[in-house]
């Protein structure tokens, strides 16, 4: 990163306006060859918008971009690909109906006599994915694979496309440690080849592990650029939030759980989840830990009735209940914040307000609309309580940044005042500030006597709020950790144990 | 309340403007267009005709708007009209009273809606294919009832629904305005409107939020069947006979067109029944231009196509956006009002980026 | 076995033709294979080809349009299957079919025109015309015939002509607009290409407060039962019959040809009878009611 | 190994074969070269438009204008051959250029004005039919000797079946369509568009040229179908081929292509066409159905096929096992 190397890409004065919001206000970004550059900022700071402007997915309203000293102005992502800028956008952006190989090579398929050669394409795909430790059949449609695999394919595609710059927008949000390691290995190789890499994430550990410099955005403006070797986490966090993050007391939650609320006996579904028993008491947070694909999401969906169980029974306050649909569950005052907020969570074109009251209204029934004043009061209260950043309650929720969407979804369920709340990856894509708030929120809810089931891939977080952790492996419960036993190390051990067995 | 009215007016403003333009076109080809007389116990005039003849399309587009809001489409409404008309006619022919006939026809329409709804919501067949089945078979069923003939009837009660008047106003006008108002209030004064929009935008999310999307979807198709049946009865009553071969033929396309001209997206979501109804009036006004112009019928379709294309282009998101920018920059070029200067940087910079 | 390729069932008259054809076949003990083409020529061609593949003894064809039959008729000829045309001839060489039993569409229009000329007896008269479906041959020919019929009589003037798609409801709608555009008093006669449109128009005239049949003379074609009912009530003035019994003469000709080899004439014209108020329309109505119109 | 994505295709083919065997069991005359040749000849124009429709539907769109474009092509050819001395081949080229331009214009409107294909092509349908009326309301026979030459090009198989040029044109269209769909970048872009336009855009698929290309292709194939139809009937008629777009859509859907786009096969459409042709042939062979029962039975069979497909798809996805992804590091 010596001062005299010429930047690969330098953007100056990039601005982007949305109706009612200034997403980017004269942002500068400079990338040098062979550097990994972190782009940091709170939810809604404008990170995704910035890279969309850089790559031509959005038309920028002002500013100029220079690539290798030459002015470029990509008007489509295709154009930026031609310039050698490969990008992974925030939500997985691949085509589920095409095969893995076709996704990898879309737009630059190997040709033979002018025709696409499927055979060569698949051979190449196998080779490329092998480099990420992924051994799959590349002719299968992408939709048959889990989100994690899709994410890796998206990364592989972007890497293949990037001759000069690689941009990764929260690529690790749905990856496990091992995959993250694999990704970092690839990034280091690319760095050696002299590529400039933009890395967006909310995991500061990862930032300090892999990145050289960081540019921090706040409210659409650059508030600073730092050499990471010479700065600390607190410094960066301070820059991001504009305030200090109170260090939280790491007291273990006292064991004051109430009486048993729910009991599942031998509940399961063939081909999806092995039968398991689980009891949850009031004022208890049960954490679900496991590797990708271990069945955490399945457990959550099964308990919520989103995918009905085909065996076992459920008891609520010693009464047997039927859980065949989300509606049943909601009637019994359950709530579920799903993992994939884009497809299962938000209702994109409805306003933020309507999204917040949706579940409450659905429970109230078709013919008893919530009155307007109450709706506004509720929505405003939650926007304030969760610090959701928005231009207006009337704006469609899909215009919110990813993290703010997540908070709005939390608000939806809190508004129903549930007895039992299931959170599937509640902090995915959420910034450090909000992360702390959500953890505090979970503890607050528990103290009020709510029962929670939280699935998460972030072990530190699980350790922080769980009163009990259930470890899953291969869609089966393998062990349960209580009280003092709950620690990152023990969870990792419990997960890994299964791994060793499997290999043996 | 007034706030809601204002919002509605803002929503339908483009449609109203287009309607005004097409009506103006009518006046150009026929200067007496707006003259309304009271003649022979009924209002009599071209404008009355537009409202009266627009009734079937208007009725269809009430239901169609809801179906389209759920990201569906119903191609079978024309056929359902034929079935309902045939049912009503054959019931009065068998000696039933007009009330029985009407109820019977409506019941049959609802049944057709149920069939479509089950195909879409339970069997998960894509709406366009699911309703294609009834579109093809339905006319056959209607002909089965009438045995291919025009089933003429003389029951005055039934005829009154299509050709009669109430206080001088043709009954169909009252029926479609009444039903339109009823259903608009029905969906907007309850939570139904929002829930329908929610399942149209993202069904999976809606289901997880506890909306009974399956039943709601079926209900929407039931409403469409009901509206189609009512339209069928009116059309049959109008000519005092059930014409299974021609009643409602291709009218589903007009209804869909009306919904789109009403500014509703075929991709589901936000909807406005009032705007669709104005869309129906626009289509009928276009038909009226064609009839009044006196041009040879060979040109009917070309004229209709050109006017519709013009309307759609004006309404397209791209043109709307361009107009918005144009207006904003025109404002900023003018007097330096605070509002104008506030919107100026936005408009200008968007332009330079092009 | 005889195959019958019918156009479809787009109108009451068509349904009646189908019914009568089936009755005539049954009367003669013929096994009739019926194929409805849903108004599509391609379906008719498919049907004929299938009949050939089944090796039927003869084919009855009611062609939807005059052109486009050469190829398939040649195939029928190769397979030595006689083809008889009903209610419309085709633009094909005459040796490709045995005979055509049709009315003369132009003649029908002409009869209507002549009737109106006589009825008006030189008085000035503004005529409005309800055309059939744009592009269909009855619409074209009946328009032509009518114009021929009134040619040279300058007192008759066609002031408006628009399509009513052969349907009752369109007939009514278009008549309504005529009445408004021209004013009821300005219209003295209506010529409709078929009775259904006339029946619809009669309602429109009544709703406008005028007396159909008196204030506005009405002449139309087909002679379906409902128009006779209207005529019996004095609400319509004349209709020209297009008989639905095309199959009778055709089957007679076919039987003669098959049994004794007598080649029938290439064109068997059915009678285009004019009915006016002088006829006993109530009786005609009763007689026709059961024919499946 | 049959890949899961190929299943709808296999199902369609099996359905056709089973149906054909069943029908032949009832009417032995159906097992003849005549019937087979008729299936090809009579459905030639429908097959050709259905290929274009397959591309459109694969991309997540729809084209309602094809029936009218066929009619327009026929009338245009008939009128131009009647009124001028231009050679039919030149007229073919001219009309193809026109229909391609027409389709491209619709594609451009759909893309640049961001309007739904359903509505744009509906307006296109009105316009094309309207233009046909303006050219001539009457049906115009075509009597050029070149037409006779083209029509006399057939191979008479033993058993009386005539395999005509038009049928071969359809087969060729299908084969080329298959190659384009699966072996060219354009084809891949079509599938990509059907998988999600926004995503495809972010992945760098050129949306504008692909969309315009798709509708131009559909328009051009409708023009070709119009030429075939004019050979088939030796005439141009403005009321011809009403509702053919619905037949084409039905054939595409029966052939296993999803109307929502992104999944399906050109080859499936071929069997969809054959199945529809078979249904009609069966109804004619039966010969006892009245007009109304014909409609009801066609609707019912359509429903049966959709249901069969649905059931098979459901049965197979329910059993689909998740694939194990990551190798141990
Ligand atoms: N199409 C749009 N219309 C209006 N506002 C928008 C639109 N897209 C984004 N915004 C707003 O722009 C701001 C920046 O959003 P962006 O997605 O870039 O945030 P981000 O930094 O990527 O956040 P996150 O970490 O949550 O992903 C947000 O306030 C968002 O609400
Ligand atoms: N629709 C599907 N079809 C086939 N397999 C699926 C499907 N959905 C999920 N799976 C498989 O089920 C397993 C569980 O996936 P899932 O992502 O739900 O697990 P998880 O433990 O919740 O992981 P995470 O939440 O960290 O992504 C994975 O192996 C995945 O491939
Ligand atoms: Mg983002
Ligand atoms: Mg999960």
């Amino acid at each position: 990163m010596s001062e005299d190397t010429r930047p690969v890409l330098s953007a100056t004065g990039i601005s982007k306006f949305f109706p009612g919001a200034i997403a980017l206000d004269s942002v500068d970004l400079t990338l040098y060859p062979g550097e990994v550059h972190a782009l940091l900022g709170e939810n809604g700071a404008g990170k995704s918008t910035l890279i969309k402007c850089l790559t031509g997915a959005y038309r920028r309203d002002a500013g100029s971009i220079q690539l290798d000293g030459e002015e470029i102005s990509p008007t489509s992502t295709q154009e930026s690909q031609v310039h050698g800028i490969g990008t992974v956008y925030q939500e997985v952006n691949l085509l589920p109906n095409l095969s893995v190989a076709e996704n990898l090579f879309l737009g630059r398929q190997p040709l033979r006599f002018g025709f696409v050669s499927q055979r060569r394409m698949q051979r190449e795909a196998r080779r490329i994915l092998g480099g990420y430790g992924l051994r799959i059949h590349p002719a299968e449609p992408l939709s048959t694979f889990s989100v994690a695999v899709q994410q890796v394919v998206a990364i592989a595609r972007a890497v293949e496309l990037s001759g000069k710059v690689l941009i990764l927008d929260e690529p690790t949000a749905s990856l496990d440690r091992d995959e993250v390691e694999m990704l970092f290995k690839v990034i280091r190789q690319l760095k050696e080849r002299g590529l400039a890499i933009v890395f967006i994430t909310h995991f500061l550990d990862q930032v300090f592990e892999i990145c050289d410099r960081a540019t921090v955005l706040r409210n659409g403006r650059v508030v600073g650029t730092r050499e990471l070797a010479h700065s600390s986490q607190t410094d960066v966090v301070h820059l991001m939030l504009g305030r200090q993050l109170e260090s939280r007391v790491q007291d273990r939650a006292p064991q004051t759980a109430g009486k048993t609320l729910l009991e599942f006996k031998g509940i399961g579904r063939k081909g999806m989840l092995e039968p398991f028993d689980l009891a949850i008491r009031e004022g208890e947070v049960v954490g679900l830990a496991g590797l990708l694909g271990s069945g955490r999401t399945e457990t959550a969906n099964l308990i919520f009735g989103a995918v009905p169980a085909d065996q076992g029974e459920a008891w609520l306050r010693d009464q047997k209940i039927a859980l065949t649909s989300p509606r049943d569950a909601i009637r019994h005052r359950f709530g579920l914040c799903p993992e994939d907020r884009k497809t299962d969570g938000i209702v994109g074109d409805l306003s933020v307000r309507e999204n917040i009251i949706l579940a409450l209204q659905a429970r109230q029934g078709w013919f008893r609309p919530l009155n307007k004043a109450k709706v506004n009061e509720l929505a405003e209260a939650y926007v304030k309580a969760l610090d959701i950043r928005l231009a207006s309650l009337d704006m469609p929720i899909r215009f919110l940044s990813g993290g703010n969407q997540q908070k709005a979804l939390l608000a939806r369920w809190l508004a129903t005042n549930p007895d039992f709340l299931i959170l599937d990856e509640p902090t995915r894509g959420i910034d450090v500030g909000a992360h702390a708030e959500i953890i505090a929120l979970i503890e607050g809810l528990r103290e009020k006597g709510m029962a929670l089931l939280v699935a998460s891939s972030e072990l530190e977080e699980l350790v922080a709020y769980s009163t009990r952790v259930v470890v899953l492996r291969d869609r089966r419960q393998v062990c349960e950790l209580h009280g003092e036993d709950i620690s990152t190390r023990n969870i990792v051990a419990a997960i890994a144990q299964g791994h060793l067995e499997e290999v043996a | 309340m007034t706030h809601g009215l204002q919002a509605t007016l803002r929503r339908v403003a483009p449609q109203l403007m287009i309607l005004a333009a097409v009506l103006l076109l009518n006046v150009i080809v026929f200067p007496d267009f707006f003259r309304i007389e009271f003649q022979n116990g009924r209002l009599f005039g071209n404008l009355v005709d537009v409202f009266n003849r627009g009734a079937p399309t208007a009725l269809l587009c009430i239901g169609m708007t809801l179906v389209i809001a759920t990201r569906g489409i119903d191609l079978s409404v024309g056929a359902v009209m034929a079935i309902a008309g045939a049912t009503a006619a054959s019931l009065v022919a068998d000696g039933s009273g007009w009330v029985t006939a009407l109820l019977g026809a409506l019941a049959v329409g609802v049944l057709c809606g149920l069939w479509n709804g089950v195909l879409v919501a339970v069997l998960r067949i894509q709406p366009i294919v699911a309703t294609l089945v009834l579109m093809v078979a339905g006319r056959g069923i209607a002909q089965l009832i009438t045995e291919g003939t025009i089933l003429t009837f003389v029951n005055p009660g039934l005829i009154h629904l299509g050709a009669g008047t109430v206080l001088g106003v043709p009954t169909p006008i009252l029926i479609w305005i009444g039903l339109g108002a009823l259903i608009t209030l029905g969906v907007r004064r309850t939570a139904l409107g929002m829930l329908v929009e929610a399942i149209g935008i993202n069904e999976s999310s809606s289901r997880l939020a506890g909306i009974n999307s399956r039943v709601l979807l079926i209900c929407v198709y039931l409403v469409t069947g009901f509206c189609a049946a009512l339209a069928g009865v009116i059309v049959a009553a109008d000519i005092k006979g059930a014409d299974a071969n021609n009643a409602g033929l291709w009218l589903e396309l007009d209804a869909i067109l009306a919904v789109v001209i009403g500014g509703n997206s075929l991709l589901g979501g936000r909807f406005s029944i009032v705007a669709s109804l104005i869309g129906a009036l626009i289509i009928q006004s276009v038909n009226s231009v064609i009839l009044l112009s006196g041009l040879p019928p060979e040109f009917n379709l070309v004229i209709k196509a050109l006017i519709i294309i013009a309307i759609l282009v004006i309404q397209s998101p791209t043109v709307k956006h361009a107009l918005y920018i144009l207006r904003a920059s025109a404002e900023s070029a003018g007097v330096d009002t605070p509002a104008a200067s506030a919107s100026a940087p936005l408009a200008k910079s968007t332009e330079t980026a092009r | 076995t005889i195959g019958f390729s019918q156009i479809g069932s787009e109108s009451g008259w068509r349904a009646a033709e189908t019914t009568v054809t089936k009755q005539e076949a049954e009367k003669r003990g013929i096994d009739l294979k019926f194929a409805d083409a849903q108004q599509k020529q391609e379906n008719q061609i498919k049907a004929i080809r299938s009949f050939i593949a089944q090796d039927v003894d003869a084919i009855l064809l009611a062609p939807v349009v005059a052109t486009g039959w050469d190829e398939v008729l040649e195939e029928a000829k190769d397979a030595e299957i006689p083809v008889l045309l009903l209610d419309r001839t085709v633009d094909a060489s005459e040796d490709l079919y045995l005979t055509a039993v049709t009315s003369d569409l132009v003649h029908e229009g002409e009869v209507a025109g002549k009737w109106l000329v006589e009825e008006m007896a030189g008085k000035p008269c503004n005529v409005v015309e309800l055309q059939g479906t744009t592009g269909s041959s009855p619409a074209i020919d009946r328009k032509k015939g009518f114009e021929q019929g009134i040619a040279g009589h300058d007192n008759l003037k066609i002031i408006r002509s628009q399509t009513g798609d052969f349907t009752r409801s369109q007939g009514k709608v278009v008549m309504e607009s005529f009445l408004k555009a021209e004013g009821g008093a300005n219209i003295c006669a209506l010529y409709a290409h078929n009775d259904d449109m006339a029946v619809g128009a009669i309602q429109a005239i009544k709703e406008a407060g005028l007396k159909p049949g008196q204030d506005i003379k009405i002449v139309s074609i087909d002679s379906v039962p409902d128009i006779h009912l209207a005529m019996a009530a004095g609400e319509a003035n004349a209709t020209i019959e297009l008989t639905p019994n095309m199959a009778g003469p055709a089957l007679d000709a076919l039987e003669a040809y098959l049994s004794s080899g007598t080649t029938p004439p290439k064109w068997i014209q059915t009678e285009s009878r004019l009915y006016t108020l002088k006829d006993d329309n109530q009786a005609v109505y009763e007689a026709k009611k059961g024919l499946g119109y | 190994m049959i890949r899961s994505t190929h299943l709808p295709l296999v199902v369609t083919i099996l359905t056709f074969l089973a149906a054909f065997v069943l029908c032949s069991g009832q009417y032995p005359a159906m097992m003849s070269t005549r019937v087979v040749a008729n299936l090809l000849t009579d459905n030639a124009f429908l097959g050709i438009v259905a290929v274009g429709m397959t591309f459109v539907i694969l991309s997540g769109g729809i084209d309602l204008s094809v029936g009218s474009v066929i009619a327009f092509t026929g009338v245009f050819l008939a009128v131009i051959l009647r009124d001028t001395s231009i050679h039919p081949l030149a007229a073919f080229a001219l009309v193809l250029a026109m229909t391609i331009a027409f389709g491209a214009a619709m594609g451009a409107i759909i893309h640049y004005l961001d309007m739904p294909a359903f509505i744009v092509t509906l307006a296109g349908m009105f316009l094309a039919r309207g233009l046909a009326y303006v050219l001539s309301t009457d049906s115009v026979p075509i009597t050029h000797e070149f037409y006779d030459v083209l029509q006399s090009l057939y191979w008479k198989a033993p058993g009386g079946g005539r395999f005509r040029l038009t049928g071969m044109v359809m087969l060729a269209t299908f084969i080329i369509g298959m190659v384009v769909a699966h072996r060219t970048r354009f084809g891949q872009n079509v599938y990509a568009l059907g998988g999600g336009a926004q995503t495809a855009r972010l992945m760098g698929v050129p949306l504008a040229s692909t969309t315009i290309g798709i509708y131009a292709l559909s328009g051009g194939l409708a023009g070709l179908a119009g030429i075939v139809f004019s050979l088939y009937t030796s005439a141009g008629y403005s009321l011809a081929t009403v509702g053919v777009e619905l037949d084409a859509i039905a054939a595409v859907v029966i052939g296993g292509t999803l109307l929502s786009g992104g999944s399906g096969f050109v080859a499936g459409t071929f069997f969809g066409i054959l199945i529809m042709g078979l249904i009609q042939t069966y109804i004619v062979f039966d010969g006892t159905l009245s007009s109304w029962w014909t409609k009801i039975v066609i609707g019912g069979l359509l429903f049966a096929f959709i249901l069969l497909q649905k059931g098979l798809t459901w049965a197979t996805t329910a059993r689909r096992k998740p694939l194990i992804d990551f190798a141990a590091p």
Side-chain angles (χ1 to χ4, degrees), chain A residues 48 90 169-170:
Chain A
S48 302
Q90 186 163 7
D169 192 352
E170 302 201 20

Side-chain angles (χ1 to χ4, degrees), chain C residues 250-268:
Chain C
L251 291 177
D252 288 341
L254 180 67
E255 275 182 338
Y257 173 74
L258 290 180
S259 58
S260 58
T262 37
T263 353
K266 276 295 153 188
W267 185 24
I268 305 172

Side-chain angles (χ1 to χ4, degrees), chain A residues 114-275:
Chain A
F115 292 111
V116 174
S117 162
Q118 285 282 351
R119 189 144 8 111
R120 243 178 71 198
M121 203 156 86
Q122 289 179 17
R123 207 173 48 222
E124 286 286 292
R126 216 182 284 266
R127 184 185 62 73
I128 293 167
L129 294 177
Y132 294 83
L134 205 53
R135 273 175 231 144
I136 53 177
H137 191 47
E140 287 292 331
L142 186 80
S143 56
T144 46
F145 298 101
S146 65
V147 184
V149 174
Q150 298 185 13
Q151 186 67 268
V152 173
V153 175
I155 294 169
R157 175 183 161 84
V159 168
E160 292 300 305
L161 280 169
S162 50
K164 292 172 183 154
V165 180
L166 171 65
I167 301 177
L168 303 169
D169 192 352
E170 302 201 20
T172 51
S174 44
L175 293 189
D176 249 334
R177 292 168 180 235
D178 295 341
E179 289 95 50
V180 172
E181 263 324 304
M182 204 79 77
L183 173 63
F184 284 2
K185 221 166 72 194
V186 175
I187 289 181
R188 288 193 189 100
Q189 281 166 15
L190 295 173
K191 190 173 143 171
E192 238 133 75
R193 291 212 322 244
L195 256 75
I197 295 151
V198 177
F199 188 71
I200 300 178
T201 186
H202 291 293
F203 298 111
L204 287 181
D205 298 344
Q206 295 180 1
V207 171
F208 279 87
E209 183 180 344
I210 190 89
C211 300
D212 304 307
R213 288 199 305 153
T215 293
V216 181
L217 291 178
R218 197 193 312 148
N219 290 331
R221 284 172 211 251
V222 177
V223 289
T225 302
R226 294 283 187 275
E227 293 280 340
L228 288 172
H230 309 300
S231 37
S232 66
Q233 280 216 20
T234 29
D235 183 27
V236 172
V237 169
H238 183 84
L239 208 54
M240 278 167 66
L241 305 183
R243 63 183 155 89
Q244 213 65 43
L245 189 67
E246 311 113 62
S247 57
R248 284 186 28 256
V249 255
Q250 269 293 337
D251 265 354
R252 279 236 49 82
Q255 297 278 19
T256 53
K259 35 184 202 305
T260 303
L261 178 73
L262 269 165
E263 218 178 337
F264 298 99
K265 292 180 186 157
I267 201 161
R269 186 181 168 88
K270 262 202 214 75
M272 191 177 121
L273 203 64
E274 297 289 317

Side-chain angles (χ1 to χ4, degrees), chain B residues 50-77:
Chain B
V50 168
F51 276 78
N52 191 15
R53 291 299 156 211
T57 317
L59 282 172
L60 291 186
C61 82
I62 294 171
M64 192 67 85
T65 307
L66 294 175
V67 169
I68 286 179
T70 66
R71 200 179 272 235
I73 202 158
D74 190 345
L75 294 182
S76 71
V77 287

Side-chain angles (χ1 to χ4, degrees), chain D residues 72-111:
Chain D
F72 170 80
T73 308
V75 175
F76 181 84
L77 284 174
V79 169
I80 201 170
L81 291 178
R82 182 190 62 189
D83 297 346
T84 69
S85 55
I86 185 173
H87 191 270
L89 281 178
F92 290 171
L94 188 64
V95 80
L96 279 179
M98 286 168 66
T99 52
I100 288 173
F102 184 77
M106 289 196 298
I109 293 178
I110 291 167
H111 176 77

Side-chain angles (χ1 to χ4, degrees), chain A residues 143-147 174 176 290-298 339 424-425 428 457 475, chain D residues 320-323 325:
Chain A
S143 56
T144 46
F145 298 101
S146 65
V147 184
S174 44
D176 249 334
L291 285 181
L292 276 183
S294 55
R296 289 165 295 178
T297 300
E298 273 82 352
E339 174 176 30
D424 196 354
E425 304 286 355
R428 176 166 291 175
S457 349
R475 276 161 263 168
Chain D
R320 190 153 80 202
K321 285 210 177 70
L323 297 130
D325 327 312

Side-chain angles (χ1 to χ4, degrees), chain D residues 16-28:
Chain D
F16 170 72
L17 292 178
F20 194 73
V21 169
L22 261 155
C23 292
S24 317
Q26 197 172 353
Y27 299 103

